[in-house]
Amino acid sequence: MVTANGTAEARKALPVYSARHRLVEVVKTSPCLVLVGETGSGKTTQVPRLLLEAGLAAGGAIACTQPRRIAAVTVAQRVANEMGCKLGSQVGYCVRFDDRTGPDTRIKYMTDGMLLREALLDPLLQRYKVVILDEAHERTVATDVLLGLLKAAAAGRPEGDLRLVVMSATLDTQKLTAYFQGSQAAYIAGRQYPVQVMYTPAPEESYVDAAITTALQIHCEEGPGDVLVFLTGQDEIEACERLLTDRAASLPPDPARLSLCVLPLYAALPPEAQLRVFERAAPGSRRVVLATNIAETSVTVPGVRFVVDSGMVKARAYSPRLGADCLQVVPVSQAQARQRSGRAGREGPGKAFRLYTEAAFAKLAPSTAPEILRTNLSSVVLQLKALGVRDVLGFDFLDPPPAPALVRSLELLLALGALTREGDLAHPIGTSLARLPVDPMFGRVLMASAELGCSEEALAVIAMASTDPVFQFPREKREEAAAAHARFASREGDHLTALAVFQRFVAQPRKQAAAWCREGFLNARSLAKARDIHAQLRGHFQALGLRLASCGDDATPLRQALVMGLFSHAARRQPGGTYRVLATGQDVALHPSSALARAGGARSGVPAVDAVVFGELVRTTRTYARDVTAIDINWLPQLVPNFFARAAAAGG
DNA sequence: GGACAGGGC
């Protein structure tokens, strides 16, 4: 795979080196360098090496963070090659499940989340003399927390002992230089071809129709080059794929025209299908790649000269009203639209077709809000508490999250038992939850399972809840897939269904696992990830001294453990068949993919369940609860008396 | 009656 900043060999030209004296000078003399490096500037490979060669890592190492694992891995490999050393010696990388560093490692490429985890054990990050936050413009939650942490760490260490470099692809340096006192900004040029941007003259009724029409228009009227179409999700892409193929087949024959090859691209696509987008178009053919925002940053599709931008994106956002994360289709930001258009100019001058008017573009948000402003903050707040930050509302964020969102997280952590009434980290629940690499609600389920004697099952359930969805529904084989999935279905809900899938998966001999997944319409990649997470969680679990035990065939303790973590996601059935979330009063429906969604139907022969807990909400045509487990409503006041005391007292 | 944006520990 090609990374976001995957600099083509030809473009490894040396704009960074031409500025090297100035860069090194700034890092030596000021506490923080804010470095704007355009696409193709080579900053990621060259800046850490420059600083190492200038002796700035003396007595320690250089950390260079990336938002994505694949970037950390591939860049480390390339830099090690360029420096003529073995990966893991002087240059290494460290990402989840894969640490390729050694005692001699001086340049360590790592994910931002990994550095944040390291900070929990060493808040001043003493082993590093230089920390580089790369791709800072992406504003991941981990990068945002690290910005505040590094500012504090630099102040807590002797002057000049920790040097910071914040590298960003955008020109908005003022905010960062104002944030890091005494910092200086520098700029290094990259290489990007011009892209001509076109808008529709009038608003489109359907961006899917418009995307198909535009792609065909490009195909019939424009010169050679592949087309990259940005859409919102798997379903939409599959529908588009069929329509586009049909309409291309019914074009009037023209011997001069290239043949058309339509390719889907989204994260859940099987790896072998994903690899097809890296194969250049065959002679005499043109590729049209239908992609989600995976093609904005994570995957660079070669050969693209034309971009079609629907202007929409599916995004996760925290809804304070619903008290949960919510996945929905929303308009892109201007920065995102520019990023999409830029994908047409990687190999030569390109054209971008925006399926909205110029006036509509002007009304879009200038940039996507940093994730930390629109996400569930309970993990962040817990981590800050574990780092010794007592006043989380007063923490020096580059962009402070709304106070009510922070307060809600503090309240949830208090209800989970992770914080004391004074707001300090509670032992052992808070300290343990901070160490477990899962959402605090899930961590609480694990701790409860140790008490209730069902931790073997809970570890599997939480590992499954932490991976991508495993059931696949190919449109042409829906019934076959549904029948295959039905083998795992549990009347008690999706967590137990997931447990059954996981147990059967790990029981397969490794060699047969892939075929078993294929036949069962299961996503092998998701399951492999669940297996890795399971192993990691089990390790943490034992390190924390928690008890491993199995509840066998009696799922009651497991469902009770789920209640003890997910109680804020408890909901009760209403006369109309919807479920009312007890904590917020919101009505939600069970997701059609849920094992419980069919219960209560006239033909199901199974009564609808009275009360549930759910993992998350998804907002499409309605608000749906996903990952749902049936519970006994009486467990709530028994198992979580503090949270449900009022409801119980009121007779609820 | 409807489904699984993308990352990360």
Side-chain angles (χ1 to χ4, degrees), chain A residues 177-229:
Chain A
T177 48
Y179 180 71
F180 285 108
Q181 252 185 6
S183 63
Q184 288 192 52
Y187 170 85
I188 44 180
R191 176 102 180 266
Q192 177 81 5
Y193 296 93
V195 175
Q196 189 186 349
V197 176
M198 260 81 70
Y199 294 92
T200 56
E204 297 288 345
E205 219 165 90
S206 152
Y207 65 80
V208 174
D209 285 347
I212 292 164
T213 307
T214 307
L216 285 172
Q217 223 163 26
I218 292 167
H219 183 50
C220 296
E221 295 169 13
E222 299 282 349
D226 295 336
V227 185
L228 175 60
V229 184

Side-chain angles (χ1 to χ4, degrees), chain A residues 12 26 41 79 97 165 183 193 197 222 228 242 245 291 347 384 391 461 467 518 532 548 556 587 612 621 651:
Chain A
K12 225 158 46 187
V26 171
S41 65
V79 173
F97 309 130
V165 179
S183 63
Y193 296 93
V197 176
E222 299 282 349
L228 175 60
R242 286 191 313 276
T245 310
E347 296 185 8
L384 289 175
D391 177 15
V461 166
T467 191
R518 208 166 35 246
D532 288 342
L548 283 169
T556 301
D587 285 344
V612 296
T621 48

Side-chain angles (χ1 to χ4, degrees), chain A residues 198-204 210 214 309 353-360:
Chain A
M198 260 81 70
Y199 294 92
T200 56
E204 297 288 345
T214 307
D309 176 15
F353 299 82
R354 294 184 176 158
L355 303 178
Y356 38 95
T357 64
E358 194 162 5

Side-chain angles (χ1 to χ4, degrees), chain A residues 413-548:
Chain A
L413 290 169
L414 177 67
L416 286 167
L419 298 180
T420 65
R421 291 199 176 281
E422 291 72 40
D424 295 319
L425 204 62
H427 189 76
I429 296 179
T431 43
S432 302
L433 294 195
R435 284 187 55 186
L436 292 167
V438 289
D439 186 283
M441 295 202 291
F442 288 160
R444 188 68 186 88
V445 173
L446 293 179
M447 295 196 69
S449 76
E451 308 268 319
L452 294 164
C454 56
S455 49
E456 293 286 12
E457 288 77 14
L459 284 162
V461 166
I462 297 306
M464 287 292 278
S466 307
T467 191
D468 298 316
V470 297
F471 290 129
Q472 295 177 327
F473 315 92
R475 192 175 291 257
E476 65 281 12
K477 291 181 184 170
R478 277 162 64 167
E479 311 228 317
E480 211 184 317
H485 297 162
R487 292 178 295 154
F488 305 107
S490 161
R491 272 197 188 193
E492 291 161 306
D494 303 318
H495 294 106
L496 281 129
T497 303
L499 174 64
V501 176
F502 184 83
Q503 288 174 333
R504 294 282 293 279
F505 172 71
V506 295
Q508 298 301 314
R510 284 261 178 157
K511 281 186 180 168
Q512 290 164 32
W516 182 81
C517 288
R518 208 166 35 246
E519 288 155 16
F521 298 93
L522 302 168
N523 186 327
R525 192 202 287 143
S526 299
L527 280 165
K529 185 173 161 187
R531 187 180 50 208
D532 288 342
I533 295 172
H534 177 261
Q536 190 187 38
L537 287 176
R538 208 166 186 276
H540 280 290
F541 201 81
Q542 287 177 298
L544 290 167
L546 295 165
R547 187 169 69 98
L548 283 169

Side-chain angles (χ1 to χ4, degrees), chain A residues 206-423:
Chain A
S206 152
Y207 65 80
V208 174
D209 285 347
I212 292 164
T213 307
T214 307
L216 285 172
Q217 223 163 26
I218 292 167
H219 183 50
C220 296
E221 295 169 13
E222 299 282 349
D226 295 336
V227 185
L228 175 60
V229 184
F230 283 100
L231 295 166
T232 66
Q234 181 178 342
D235 244 27
E236 198 173 272
I237 285 169
E238 284 173 358
C240 232
E241 195 180 348
R242 286 191 313 276
L243 288 167
L244 189 55
T245 310
D246 289 352
R247 280 184 54 188
S250 62
L251 285 174
D254 176 354
R257 193 165 52 225
L258 300 164
S259 68
L260 193 69
C261 168
V262 183
L263 295 172
L265 177 62
Y266 46 86
L269 202 66
E272 62 274 14
Q274 225 174 65
L275 284 174
R276 290 183 62 201
V277 307
F278 297 111
E279 297 163 11
R280 300 249 170 198
S285 84
R286 186 203 301 276
R287 308 187 311 153
V288 177
V289 178
L290 308 175
T292 60
N293 46 341
I294 192 174
E296 262 173 38
T297 52
S298 302
V299 173
T300 299
V301 182
V304 172
R305 298 291 283 272
F306 307 98
V307 160
V308 179
D309 176 15
S310 66
M312 303 301 280
V313 63
K314 199 179 278 187
R316 188 180 293 275
Y318 179 73
S319 159
R321 190 174 57 86
L322 294 169
D325 271 344
C326 209
L327 201 61
Q328 53 187 330
V329 173
V330 294
V332 296
S333 66
Q334 291 178 352
Q336 229 172 338
R338 284 194 195 96
Q339 174 72 19
R340 288 179 173 191
S341 303
R343 293 311 213 174
R346 303 277 293 190
E347 296 185 8
K351 286 186 182 176
F353 299 82
R354 294 184 176 158
L355 303 178
Y356 38 95
T357 64
E358 194 162 5
F361 175 80
K363 284 187 196 148
L364 295 175
S367 56
T368 312
E371 205 185 351
I372 200 162
L373 299 186
R374 51 190 170 87
T375 191
N376 175 353
L377 293 167
S378 50
S379 274
V380 168
V381 169
L382 183 66
Q383 305 257 319
L384 289 175
K385 288 285 182 187
L387 285 159
V389 178
R390 295 203 64 188
D391 177 15
V392 172
L393 281 109
F395 184 72
D396 189 6
F397 289 104
L398 180 61
D399 279 296
L406 288 167
V407 170
R408 274 195 90 106
S409 298
L410 287 164
E411 286 168 353
L412 177 63
L413 290 169
L414 177 67
L416 286 167
L419 298 180
T420 65
R421 291 199 176 281
E422 291 72 40

Side-chain angles (χ1 to χ4, degrees), chain A residues 32-99:
Chain A
C32 174
L33 165 65
V34 176
L35 183 61
V36 176
E38 288 183 353
T39 306
S41 65
K43 63 185 180 352
T44 305
T45 51
Q46 297 178 10
V47 170
R49 193 176 162 187
L50 257 173
L51 301 181
L52 178 71
E53 285 164 359
L56 285 164
I62 297 173
C64 183
T65 71
Q66 299 292 325
R68 281 171 291 279
R69 297 163 51 94
I70 187 80
V73 173
T74 54
V75 174
Q77 183 74 66
R78 189 187 312 161
V79 173
N81 287 346
E82 284 171 5
M83 289 175 63
C85 64
K86 244 178 95 182
L87 188 67
S89 59
Q90 226 191 355
V91 180
Y93 66 82
C94 182
V95 299
R96 191 181 193 181
F97 309 130
D98 195 4
D99 181 359

